[in-house]
Amino acid sequence: MKLKEIGWNGFLVKVPEEMHLTRQGGNAEKGTFLLESEGYVTELSWNPIPKKPKPLLSLVETFIDRTKKESKKKKRKVTLKEKRDTIVNTHEAVYLCLKSVIEERYYIWQCKESGRIISARFIIKPFDEKARLFIKQFLSTLRCHMKEKNVWSLMKMRFEAPKSFLLSEAKFEVGRAHIVLAENKLSAFEERTKRIYVNYFSMANIVFKDTYEDPDKWFEKNHFKNFKKSLKKWRIHFETSGERKLEGHKAVIKQARTTSGVYTRSTDLCSIACWYCQEMNRMYFLAVYSKVARPIFLKRRLEEEEHNKLFDEILESFKCH
């Protein structure tokens, strides 16, 4: 069985190559994502561990009661077929097999390292030896907490970002992807914001036949206008600061700095990289945006060295094919 890596919201797992992310929501603190292939549905969902932690068995009983009540509203009967203790990624866990219209298998555990209560749900038909091996392989490769950085890996694209950056936007359409991660720090007289933007556009040699071989020209003609809308910065000017080699590709690097506001003044710094990947026939776009805002009577200091280091680290971790 050929496997691929999927990294999303602080999770990292290996799944069969034919399995795809079909639905997602939330961020690393609370959310869900669904993986599907023919006959197989796997869902990971998570919630923060309460300030007053409860025993795992208590959480499981609450989950069973809630599931039964929800099914009763739909005039369906849920039967608990099996319940036992197990281990998932060194964590104590509980395995459940619930039967309604179909059988659903759950593994529920608490990950103190990430501060989450996690549920892995499996719906597989028919449930045979192949299905058992799939669940065993899924749980054995699943990592529910990272040491330093989160891995974002899907659609044959991979990069790493600090765990403090939470998913803000994610859109996947035919031939394109759009991901935004955000870190916000607020105090009485200061707002510090950082965002990471990642986009790709497929069939580049057809869709952008006049510009795909020139990333600088592609950005100015095909993406600059939309990116300004994302930043909500209409008067921003990017200057080319150089080129980088990325997995054998030439990436154009550009940077912009702006100051705006009347009563609250903000200083903004944005670094971008764009390149064409022949192997995937995609245009890629990566941006790191930093902003500090304070009342006009207070001094503002944007940590430019920290911003550049973040941009460099993400770019160095990027795999585009």
Side-chain angles (χ1 to χ4, degrees), residues 15 53-54 79 93 173 182 215:
V15 299
K54 295 182 180 180
T79 304
E173 301 173 359

Side-chain angles (χ1 to χ4, degrees), residues 25-37:
N27 55 38
E29 294 177 346
K30 179 180 180 180
T32 182
F33 71 83
L34 198 70
L35 302 170
E36 293 186 73
S37 61

